[in-house]
Amino acid sequence: MIRALYARLRQGHRTMPYPDGPPPALPELFRGRPTVDASKCADGCRACADVCPTQAIRIETSPHIDLGRCLFCTDCADACPQQAIAYSNDYRLAARTREDLTVAPGEALRLARALDEKLRRLLGRSLKLRQVSAGGCNACEADVNVLSTIGWDLGRFGIQMVASPRHADGILVTGCVSENMRTALVDTYEAVAAPKIVIAVGACAISGGPFAGHPQQHNGVPDSIPVDLYIPGCPPHPLTILDGLLRLLDRLPREGR
């Protein structure tokens, strides 16, 4: 026991200071929010929209990108003859409504707003979530699980993943919602006592991702389940997920917004 305590003391403090300190360093190849320089777009050019595998780009004189469909694959940037599209290192992507995920060139992304004050008083200090993998590839699931490691320590914010929906305040959904998982997802949602929240993580849970339109899946969380927070990505980085959760609970320092 003494040796174990000594080893732990030598390790020091392992949890990152974020959000009270700077966010962790992102990898060099990290792909954050895509940006469009409309001044470079040629009239009638549809190269980016035509190559997008999920139809995440809509042309209205210039490209409008639906982050809920975007796979962050860079096909659009590679296809653009004018190099008008690039990927920033901005990890802040979460939004409260599906419509807020579609942005025009030069338009600020409408980042997630906090829950109303009554819900924050109820859930803000102890948020328990039941994670439902509804036909995911395990990438989003893995990045959600990373948040429970010592470096991220999601529990310090009072947020925990629980085994039973009866013990949960809401559900966190990943995956495109396959036909075989739809009933399980609906039953899990109904088993959570009201008031409850729903969080859709990743392109698959938001729009079906690369599987959109396939007859054996439902293009993400069905309309019968209201979603309170959308966190785009394929998969979203753990920092993107944490940022969305903290915004929902109004737990970010004002200068970090």
Side-chain angles (χ1 to χ4, degrees), residues 143-161:
D143 279 357
V144 170
N145 289 342
V146 164
L147 294 176
S148 296
T149 62
I150 190 172
W152 296 87
D153 191 15
L154 189 64
R156 64 192 161 119
F157 305 108
I159 307 173
Q160 293 180 323
M161 302 297 165

mmCIF file with all atom_site columns, all heavy atoms in Angstrom, residues 143-161:
data_model
loop_
_atom_site.group_PDB
_atom_site.id
_atom_site.type_symbol
_atom_site.label_atom_id
_atom_site.label_alt_id
_atom_site.label_comp_id
_atom_site.label_asym_id
_atom_site.label_entity_id
_atom_site.label_seq_id
_atom_site.pdbx_PDB_ins_code
_atom_site.Cartn_x
_atom_site.Cartn_y
_atom_site.Cartn_z
_atom_site.occupancy
_atom_site.B_iso_or_equiv
_atom_site.pdbx_formal_charge
_atom_site.auth_seq_id
_atom_site.auth_comp_id
_atom_site.auth_asym_id
_atom_site.auth_atom_id
_atom_site.pdbx_PDB_model_num
ATOM 1   N N   . ASP A 1 143 ? -14.553 7.967  -28.188 1.00 0.00 ? 143 ASP A N   1
ATOM 2   C CA  . ASP A 1 143 ? -14.225 9.327  -27.770 1.00 0.00 ? 143 ASP A CA  1
ATOM 3   C C   . ASP A 1 143 ? -15.084 9.783  -26.597 1.00 0.00 ? 143 ASP A C   1
ATOM 4   O O   . ASP A 1 143 ? -14.647 10.619 -25.798 1.00 0.00 ? 143 ASP A O   1
ATOM 5   C CB  . ASP A 1 143 ? -14.370 10.284 -28.952 1.00 0.00 ? 143 ASP A CB  1
ATOM 6   C CG  . ASP A 1 143 ? -13.140 10.259 -29.857 1.00 0.00 ? 143 ASP A CG  1
ATOM 7   O OD1 . ASP A 1 143 ? -12.177 9.540  -29.520 1.00 0.00 ? 143 ASP A OD1 1
ATOM 8   O OD2 . ASP A 1 143 ? -13.150 10.941 -30.901 1.00 0.00 ? 143 ASP A OD2 1
ATOM 9   N N   . VAL A 1 144 ? -16.293 9.255  -26.472 1.00 0.00 ? 144 VAL A N   1
ATOM 10  C CA  . VAL A 1 144 ? -17.095 9.521  -25.279 1.00 0.00 ? 144 VAL A CA  1
ATOM 11  C C   . VAL A 1 144 ? -16.450 8.851  -24.065 1.00 0.00 ? 144 VAL A C   1
ATOM 12  O O   . VAL A 1 144 ? -16.334 9.458  -22.988 1.00 0.00 ? 144 VAL A O   1
ATOM 13  C CB  . VAL A 1 144 ? -18.541 9.027  -25.456 1.00 0.00 ? 144 VAL A CB  1
ATOM 14  C CG1 . VAL A 1 144 ? -19.300 9.079  -24.128 1.00 0.00 ? 144 VAL A CG1 1
ATOM 15  C CG2 . VAL A 1 144 ? -19.271 9.869  -26.496 1.00 0.00 ? 144 VAL A CG2 1
ATOM 16  N N   . ASN A 1 145 ? -15.985 7.619  -24.247 1.00 0.00 ? 145 ASN A N   1
ATOM 17  C CA  . ASN A 1 145 ? -15.362 6.896  -23.132 1.00 0.00 ? 145 ASN A CA  1
ATOM 18  C C   . ASN A 1 145 ? -14.085 7.562  -22.658 1.00 0.00 ? 145 ASN A C   1
ATOM 19  O O   . ASN A 1 145 ? -13.743 7.511  -21.463 1.00 0.00 ? 145 ASN A O   1
ATOM 20  C CB  . ASN A 1 145 ? -15.061 5.453  -23.550 1.00 0.00 ? 145 ASN A CB  1
ATOM 21  C CG  . ASN A 1 145 ? -16.308 4.614  -23.692 1.00 0.00 ? 145 ASN A CG  1
ATOM 22  O OD1 . ASN A 1 145 ? -17.364 4.976  -23.166 1.00 0.00 ? 145 ASN A OD1 1
ATOM 23  N ND2 . ASN A 1 145 ? -16.215 3.502  -24.392 1.00 0.00 ? 145 ASN A ND2 1
ATOM 24  N N   . VAL A 1 146 ? -13.350 8.206  -23.578 1.00 0.00 ? 146 VAL A N   1
ATOM 25  C CA  . VAL A 1 146 ? -12.110 8.891  -23.206 1.00 0.00 ? 146 VAL A CA  1
ATOM 26  C C   . VAL A 1 146 ? -12.356 9.933  -22.122 1.00 0.00 ? 146 VAL A C   1
ATOM 27  O O   . VAL A 1 146 ? -11.494 10.176 -21.261 1.00 0.00 ? 146 VAL A O   1
ATOM 28  C CB  . VAL A 1 146 ? -11.473 9.542  -24.459 1.00 0.00 ? 146 VAL A CB  1
ATOM 29  C CG1 . VAL A 1 146 ? -10.428 10.577 -24.073 1.00 0.00 ? 146 VAL A CG1 1
ATOM 30  C CG2 . VAL A 1 146 ? -10.849 8.476  -25.345 1.00 0.00 ? 146 VAL A CG2 1
ATOM 31  N N   . LEU A 1 147 ? -13.533 10.528 -22.128 1.00 0.00 ? 147 LEU A N   1
ATOM 32  C CA  . LEU A 1 147 ? -13.832 11.588 -21.166 1.00 0.00 ? 147 LEU A CA  1
ATOM 33  C C   . LEU A 1 147 ? -13.866 11.087 -19.725 1.00 0.00 ? 147 LEU A C   1
ATOM 34  O O   . LEU A 1 147 ? -13.817 11.892 -18.790 1.00 0.00 ? 147 LEU A O   1
ATOM 35  C CB  . LEU A 1 147 ? -15.169 12.252 -21.514 1.00 0.00 ? 147 LEU A CB  1
ATOM 36  C CG  . LEU A 1 147 ? -15.201 13.034 -22.829 1.00 0.00 ? 147 LEU A CG  1
ATOM 37  C CD1 . LEU A 1 147 ? -16.598 13.565 -23.099 1.00 0.00 ? 147 LEU A CD1 1
ATOM 38  C CD2 . LEU A 1 147 ? -14.197 14.177 -22.804 1.00 0.00 ? 147 LEU A CD2 1
ATOM 39  N N   . SER A 1 148 ? -13.972 9.783  -19.548 1.00 0.00 ? 148 SER A N   1
ATOM 40  C CA  . SER A 1 148 ? -13.994 9.225  -18.185 1.00 0.00 ? 148 SER A CA  1
ATOM 41  C C   . SER A 1 148 ? -12.602 8.858  -17.690 1.00 0.00 ? 148 SER A C   1
ATOM 42  O O   . SER A 1 148 ? -12.463 8.389  -16.559 1.00 0.00 ? 148 SER A O   1
ATOM 43  C CB  . SER A 1 148 ? -14.907 7.994  -18.144 1.00 0.00 ? 148 SER A CB  1
ATOM 44  O OG  . SER A 1 148 ? -16.245 8.359  -18.415 1.00 0.00 ? 148 SER A OG  1
ATOM 45  N N   . THR A 1 149 ? -11.569 9.057  -18.515 1.00 0.00 ? 149 THR A N   1
ATOM 46  C CA  . THR A 1 149 ? -10.210 8.745  -18.088 1.00 0.00 ? 149 THR A CA  1
ATOM 47  C C   . THR A 1 149 ? -9.676  9.835  -17.167 1.00 0.00 ? 149 THR A C   1
ATOM 48  O O   . THR A 1 149 ? -10.250 10.927 -17.069 1.00 0.00 ? 149 THR A O   1
ATOM 49  C CB  . THR A 1 149 ? -9.282  8.583  -19.300 1.00 0.00 ? 149 THR A CB  1
ATOM 50  O OG1 . THR A 1 149 ? -9.238  9.824  -20.024 1.00 0.00 ? 149 THR A OG1 1
ATOM 51  C CG2 . THR A 1 149 ? -9.779  7.471  -20.219 1.00 0.00 ? 149 THR A CG2 1
ATOM 52  N N   . ILE A 1 150 ? -8.555  9.563  -16.543 1.00 0.00 ? 150 ILE A N   1
ATOM 53  C CA  . ILE A 1 150 ? -8.032  10.469 -15.518 1.00 0.00 ? 150 ILE A CA  1
ATOM 54  C C   . ILE A 1 150 ? -7.635  11.826 -16.104 1.00 0.00 ? 150 ILE A C   1
ATOM 55  O O   . ILE A 1 150 ? -7.717  12.856 -15.444 1.00 0.00 ? 150 ILE A O   1
ATOM 56  C CB  . ILE A 1 150 ? -6.830  9.809  -14.790 1.00 0.00 ? 150 ILE A CB  1
ATOM 57  C CG1 . ILE A 1 150 ? -6.440  10.636 -13.561 1.00 0.00 ? 150 ILE A CG1 1
ATOM 58  C CG2 . ILE A 1 150 ? -5.649  9.623  -15.744 1.00 0.00 ? 150 ILE A CG2 1
ATOM 59  C CD1 . ILE A 1 150 ? -5.406  9.964  -12.703 1.00 0.00 ? 150 ILE A CD1 1
ATOM 60  N N   . GLY A 1 151 ? -7.205  11.846 -17.369 1.00 0.00 ? 151 GLY A N   1
ATOM 61  C CA  . GLY A 1 151 ? -6.785  13.106 -17.962 1.00 0.00 ? 151 GLY A CA  1
ATOM 62  C C   . GLY A 1 151 ? -7.926  14.078 -18.172 1.00 0.00 ? 151 GLY A C   1
ATOM 63  O O   . GLY A 1 151 ? -7.765  15.293 -18.024 1.00 0.00 ? 151 GLY A O   1
ATOM 64  N N   . TRP A 1 152 ? -9.100  13.547 -18.515 1.00 0.00 ? 152 TRP A N   1
ATOM 65  C CA  . TRP A 1 152 ? -10.266 14.398 -18.765 1.00 0.00 ? 152 TRP A CA  1
ATOM 66  C C   . TRP A 1 152 ? -11.162 14.489 -17.536 1.00 0.00 ? 152 TRP A C   1
ATOM 67  O O   . TRP A 1 152 ? -11.674 15.553 -17.218 1.00 0.00 ? 152 TRP A O   1
ATOM 68  C CB  . TRP A 1 152 ? -11.078 13.840 -19.947 1.00 0.00 ? 152 TRP A CB  1
ATOM 69  C CG  . TRP A 1 152 ? -10.338 13.862 -21.228 1.00 0.00 ? 152 TRP A CG  1
ATOM 70  C CD1 . TRP A 1 152 ? -9.488  12.909 -21.721 1.00 0.00 ? 152 TRP A CD1 1
ATOM 71  C CD2 . TRP A 1 152 ? -10.337 14.905 -22.214 1.00 0.00 ? 152 TRP A CD2 1
ATOM 72  N NE1 . TRP A 1 152 ? -8.979  13.288 -22.938 1.00 0.00 ? 152 TRP A NE1 1
ATOM 73  C CE2 . TRP A 1 152 ? -9.493  14.502 -23.272 1.00 0.00 ? 152 TRP A CE2 1
ATOM 74  C CE3 . TRP A 1 152 ? -11.002 16.117 -22.319 1.00 0.00 ? 152 TRP A CE3 1
ATOM 75  C CZ2 . TRP A 1 152 ? -9.281  15.288 -24.404 1.00 0.00 ? 152 TRP A CZ2 1
ATOM 76  C CZ3 . TRP A 1 152 ? -10.802 16.901 -23.445 1.00 0.00 ? 152 TRP A CZ3 1
ATOM 77  C CH2 . TRP A 1 152 ? -9.936  16.491 -24.470 1.00 0.00 ? 152 TRP A CH2 1
ATOM 78  N N   . ASP A 1 153 ? -11.382 13.372 -16.876 1.00 0.00 ? 153 ASP A N   1
ATOM 79  C CA  . ASP A 1 153 ? -12.137 13.301 -15.616 1.00 0.00 ? 153 ASP A CA  1
ATOM 80  C C   . ASP A 1 153 ? -13.488 14.014 -15.687 1.00 0.00 ? 153 ASP A C   1
ATOM 81  O O   . ASP A 1 153 ? -13.734 15.012 -15.011 1.00 0.00 ? 153 ASP A O   1
ATOM 82  C CB  . ASP A 1 153 ? -11.300 13.869 -14.470 1.00 0.00 ? 153 ASP A CB  1
ATOM 83  C CG  . ASP A 1 153 ? -11.929 13.570 -13.099 1.00 0.00 ? 153 ASP A CG  1
ATOM 84  O OD1 . ASP A 1 153 ? -12.821 12.704 -13.043 1.00 0.00 ? 153 ASP A OD1 1
ATOM 85  O OD2 . ASP A 1 153 ? -11.521 14.205 -12.113 1.00 0.00 ? 153 ASP A OD2 1
ATOM 86  N N   . LEU A 1 154 ? -14.374 13.463 -16.515 1.00 0.00 ? 154 LEU A N   1
ATOM 87  C CA  . LEU A 1 154 ? -15.710 14.038 -16.679 1.00 0.00 ? 154 LEU A CA  1
ATOM 88  C C   . LEU A 1 154 ? -16.459 14.128 -15.365 1.00 0.00 ? 154 LEU A C   1
ATOM 89  O O   . LEU A 1 154 ? -17.290 15.023 -15.166 1.00 0.00 ? 154 LEU A O   1
ATOM 90  C CB  . LEU A 1 154 ? -16.495 13.188 -17.689 1.00 0.00 ? 154 LEU A CB  1
ATOM 91  C CG  . LEU A 1 154 ? -17.842 13.715 -18.173 1.00 0.00 ? 154 LEU A CG  1
ATOM 92  C CD1 . LEU A 1 154 ? -17.663 15.018 -18.950 1.00 0.00 ? 154 LEU A CD1 1
ATOM 93  C CD2 . LEU A 1 154 ? -18.539 12.675 -19.045 1.00 0.00 ? 154 LEU A CD2 1
ATOM 94  N N   . GLY A 1 155 ? -16.158 13.229 -14.436 1.00 0.00 ? 155 GLY A N   1
ATOM 95  C CA  . GLY A 1 155 ? -16.852 13.206 -13.155 1.00 0.00 ? 155 GLY A CA  1
ATOM 96  C C   . GLY A 1 155 ? -16.647 14.447 -12.314 1.00 0.00 ? 155 GLY A C   1
ATOM 97  O O   . GLY A 1 155 ? -17.467 14.754 -11.441 1.00 0.00 ? 155 GLY A O   1
ATOM 98  N N   . ARG A 1 156 ? -15.576 15.207 -12.574 1.00 0.00 ? 156 ARG A N   1
ATOM 99  C CA  . ARG A 1 156 ? -15.345 16.428 -11.762 1.00 0.00 ? 156 ARG A CA  1
ATOM 100 C C   . ARG A 1 156 ? -16.392 17.493 -12.030 1.00 0.00 ? 156 ARG A C   1
ATOM 101 O O   . ARG A 1 156 ? -16.538 18.440 -11.250 1.00 0.00 ? 156 ARG A O   1
ATOM 102 C CB  . ARG A 1 156 ? -13.936 16.972 -12.031 1.00 0.00 ? 156 ARG A CB  1
ATOM 103 C CG  . ARG A 1 156 ? -13.694 17.434 -13.458 1.00 0.00 ? 156 ARG A CG  1
ATOM 104 C CD  . ARG A 1 156 ? -12.204 17.673 -13.707 1.00 0.00 ? 156 ARG A CD  1
ATOM 105 N NE  . ARG A 1 156 ? -11.901 17.673 -15.112 1.00 0.00 ? 156 ARG A NE  1
ATOM 106 C CZ  . ARG A 1 156 ? -11.383 18.712 -15.769 1.00 0.00 ? 156 ARG A CZ  1
ATOM 107 N NH1 . ARG A 1 156 ? -11.124 19.831 -15.116 1.00 0.00 ? 156 ARG A NH1 1
ATOM 108 N NH2 . ARG A 1 156 ? -11.115 18.619 -17.051 1.00 0.00 ? 156 ARG A NH2 1
ATOM 109 N N   . PHE A 1 157 ? -17.133 17.334 -13.130 1.00 0.00 ? 157 PHE A N   1
ATOM 110 C CA  . PHE A 1 157 ? -18.224 18.258 -13.443 1.00 0.00 ? 157 PHE A CA  1
ATOM 111 C C   . PHE A 1 157 ? -19.571 17.709 -12.986 1.00 0.00 ? 157 PHE A C   1
ATOM 112 O O   . PHE A 1 157 ? -20.610 18.303 -13.258 1.00 0.00 ? 157 PHE A O   1
ATOM 113 C CB  . PHE A 1 157 ? -18.274 18.523 -14.946 1.00 0.00 ? 157 PHE A CB  1
ATOM 114 C CG  . PHE A 1 157 ? -16.982 19.018 -15.520 1.00 0.00 ? 157 PHE A CG  1
ATOM 115 C CD1 . PHE A 1 157 ? -16.207 18.192 -16.314 1.00 0.00 ? 157 PHE A CD1 1
ATOM 116 C CD2 . PHE A 1 157 ? -16.533 20.295 -15.246 1.00 0.00 ? 157 PHE A CD2 1
ATOM 117 C CE1 . PHE A 1 157 ? -15.008 18.635 -16.841 1.00 0.00 ? 157 PHE A CE1 1
ATOM 118 C CE2 . PHE A 1 157 ? -15.331 20.748 -15.768 1.00 0.00 ? 157 PHE A CE2 1
ATOM 119 C CZ  . PHE A 1 157 ? -14.562 19.917 -16.559 1.00 0.00 ? 157 PHE A CZ  1
ATOM 120 N N   . GLY A 1 158 ? -19.550 16.566 -12.332 1.00 0.00 ? 158 GLY A N   1
ATOM 121 C CA  . GLY A 1 158 ? -20.800 15.947 -11.894 1.00 0.00 ? 158 GLY A CA  1
ATOM 122 C C   . GLY A 1 158 ? -21.491 15.162 -12.995 1.00 0.00 ? 158 GLY A C   1
ATOM 123 O O   . GLY A 1 158 ? -22.646 14.780 -12.846 1.00 0.00 ? 158 GLY A O   1
ATOM 124 N N   . ILE A 1 159 ? -20.795 14.922 -14.119 1.00 0.00 ? 159 ILE A N   1
ATOM 125 C CA  . ILE A 1 159 ? -21.378 14.197 -15.257 1.00 0.00 ? 159 ILE A CA  1
ATOM 126 C C   . ILE A 1 159 ? -20.861 12.759 -15.245 1.00 0.00 ? 159 ILE A C   1
ATOM 127 O O   . ILE A 1 159 ? -19.652 12.535 -15.230 1.00 0.00 ? 159 ILE A O   1
ATOM 128 C CB  . ILE A 1 159 ? -21.013 14.868 -16.593 1.00 0.00 ? 159 ILE A CB  1
ATOM 129 C CG1 . ILE A 1 159 ? -21.377 16.361 -16.566 1.00 0.00 ? 159 ILE A CG1 1
ATOM 130 C CG2 . ILE A 1 159 ? -21.712 14.170 -17.750 1.00 0.00 ? 159 ILE A CG2 1
ATOM 131 C CD1 . ILE A 1 159 ? -20.892 17.127 -17.772 1.00 0.00 ? 159 ILE A CD1 1
ATOM 132 N N   . GLN A 1 160 ? -21.778 11.810 -15.255 1.00 0.00 ? 160 GLN A N   1
ATOM 133 C CA  . GLN A 1 160 ? -21.400 10.400 -15.222 1.00 0.00 ? 160 GLN A CA  1
ATOM 134 C C   . GLN A 1 160 ? -22.278 9.589  -16.161 1.00 0.00 ? 160 GLN A C   1
ATOM 135 O O   . GLN A 1 160 ? -23.442 9.922  -16.389 1.00 0.00 ? 160 GLN A O   1
ATOM 136 C CB  . GLN A 1 160 ? -21.533 9.841  -13.803 1.00 0.00 ? 160 GLN A CB  1
ATOM 137 C CG  . GLN A 1 160 ? -20.541 10.437 -12.808 1.00 0.00 ? 160 GLN A CG  1
ATOM 138 C CD  . GLN A 1 160 ? -20.735 9.850  -11.423 1.00 0.00 ? 160 GLN A CD  1
ATOM 139 O OE1 . GLN A 1 160 ? -21.861 9.578  -11.001 1.00 0.00 ? 160 GLN A OE1 1
ATOM 140 N NE2 . GLN A 1 160 ? -19.641 9.647  -10.712 1.00 0.00 ? 160 GLN A NE2 1
ATOM 141 N N   . MET A 1 161 ? -21.678 8.526  -16.719 1.00 0.00 ? 161 MET A N   1
ATOM 142 C CA  . MET A 1 161 ? -22.433 7.555  -17.495 1.00 0.00 ? 161 MET A CA  1
ATOM 143 C C   . MET A 1 161 ? -22.903 6.450  -16.551 1.00 0.00 ? 161 MET A C   1
ATOM 144 O O   . MET A 1 161 ? -22.111 5.949  -15.744 1.00 0.00 ? 161 MET A O   1
ATOM 145 C CB  . MET A 1 161 ? -21.570 6.956  -18.611 1.00 0.00 ? 161 MET A CB  1
ATOM 146 C CG  . MET A 1 161 ? -21.002 7.985  -19.563 1.00 0.00 ? 161 MET A CG  1
ATOM 147 S SD  . MET A 1 161 ? -22.276 8.875  -20.479 1.00 0.00 ? 161 MET A SD  1
ATOM 148 C CE  . MET A 1 161 ? -21.312 10.254 -21.129 1.00 0.00 ? 161 MET A CE  1
#
